[in-house]
Amino acid sequence: AIIDLRIEKGDLKNVTTPSAKNAKYGQTLAEITLPSTSTGVWYFEDDLSMSVGNVGVNKFTVKLVPNDKNYKDFITEITINVSKADPKYTAPKSISNLEYNGLTQNLVIPGTVEDDTLVMEYKIRDLTDWSVEIPTVIDAGYYYVYYRIVGGNNYNNVESYVGVELAKKVYDKRATDRAAVLEKNRKIEEEFNK
């Protein structure tokens, strides 16, 4: 008689689960390194393209695939501590060669923020309040244009500034003198023709 024995895989004992991992908002599970041990290799059960989630403490299912095929995979949870990320942005740039012309002028080329849930705000020190509108001025002077990104729950705040000069109008004295001479000649001619 032939006896068919089926031997089930055994359960791993004394498994050391991976310690908590740290990540930044916006990262994926593919960017989190799980350890390899003498017992086997740890893997995420979720797709590696999955986000680590919002800022806070998040849990994900992991499994240990043993080197010894006589044992079952060991499944547990791992904690990932997600911290705020720096927003990706392009800072505003000061407009060069500005000169007083009596009209309202923009002082900067606006910046951009990669994450469309965030906005960049501007203000001119001591002159305006925070606004998404690009600051404008009329009068000549040196201005500090502050910009900020309010990061909310998942991003760090950003605040900085750029300096911009709106130069005084340069008058050409020769042109002014010539205009005065022409005006004087016109008046003389008018008097003469009366």
Side-chain angles (χ1 to χ4, degrees):
I2 298 176
I3 299 175
D4 188 13
L5 292 177
R6 184 174 204 171
I7 301 173
E8 295 288 325
K9 289 185 176 185
D11 292 325
L12 287 171
K13 306 284 185 212
N14 302 321
V15 175
T16 303
T17 57
S19 58
K21 299 292 179 182
N22 295 317
K24 295 240 182 233
Y25 174 75
Q27 287 187 294
T28 63
L29 294 179
E31 298 172 86
I32 307 301
T33 304
L34 294 176
S36 292
T37 66
S38 59
T39 308
V41 179
W42 288 99
Y43 295 96
F44 281 104
E45 285 276 88
D46 296 301
D47 188 295
L48 293 179
S49 64
M50 178 181 271
S51 165
V52 294
N54 291 325
V55 169
V57 177
N58 301 317
K59 296 197 178 285
F60 294 90
T61 303
V62 292
K63 72 177 174 182
L64 175 65
V65 177
N67 294 330
D68 185 339
K69 300 305 175 200
N70 291 313
Y71 291 97
K72 297 180 205 170
D73 293 349
F74 181 82
I75 298 175
T76 188
E77 283 188 333
I78 185 174
T79 299
I80 298 181
N81 300 308
V82 181
S83 61
K84 289 185 176 189
D86 292 329
K88 293 178 180 163
Y89 68 97
T90 302
K93 292 181 174 56
S94 60
I95 298 175
S96 56
N97 301 320
L98 290 174
E99 185 178 87
Y100 173 80
N101 62 11
L103 303 173
T104 301
Q105 297 185 64
N106 288 342
L107 294 174
V108 296
I109 298 167
T112 58
V113 183
E114 190 174 291
D115 186 323
D116 60 5
T117 65
L118 302 175
V119 294
M120 188 173 289
E121 298 178 327
Y122 308 89
K123 80 172 192 168
I124 299 174
R125 183 175 75 183
D126 302 329
L127 289 180
T128 63
D129 293 326
W130 289 108
S131 170
V132 294
E133 300 299 320
I134 302 303
T136 60
V137 295
I138 295 174
D139 297 330
Y142 195 85
Y143 297 93
Y144 291 96
V145 178
Y146 285 79
Y147 63 92
R148 74 177 179 185
I149 302 166
V150 179
N153 295 329
N154 291 313
Y155 290 101
N156 294 312
N157 294 335
V158 172
E159 187 171 326
S160 192
Y161 67 91
V162 292
V164 186
E165 182 175 18
L166 177 59
K168 292 180 180 180
K169 179 81 174 159
V170 177
Y171 291 99
D172 184 342
K173 180 149 175 50
R174 290 174 300 175
T176 305
D177 291 347
R178 185 169 185 272
V181 167
L182 290 173
E183 179 63 17
K184 186 175 180 183
N185 288 345
R186 187 187 64 76
K187 286 183 180 178
I188 291 171
E189 193 175 312
E190 263 182 21
E191 286 297 316
F192 182 75
N193 290 328
K194 281 187 182 177

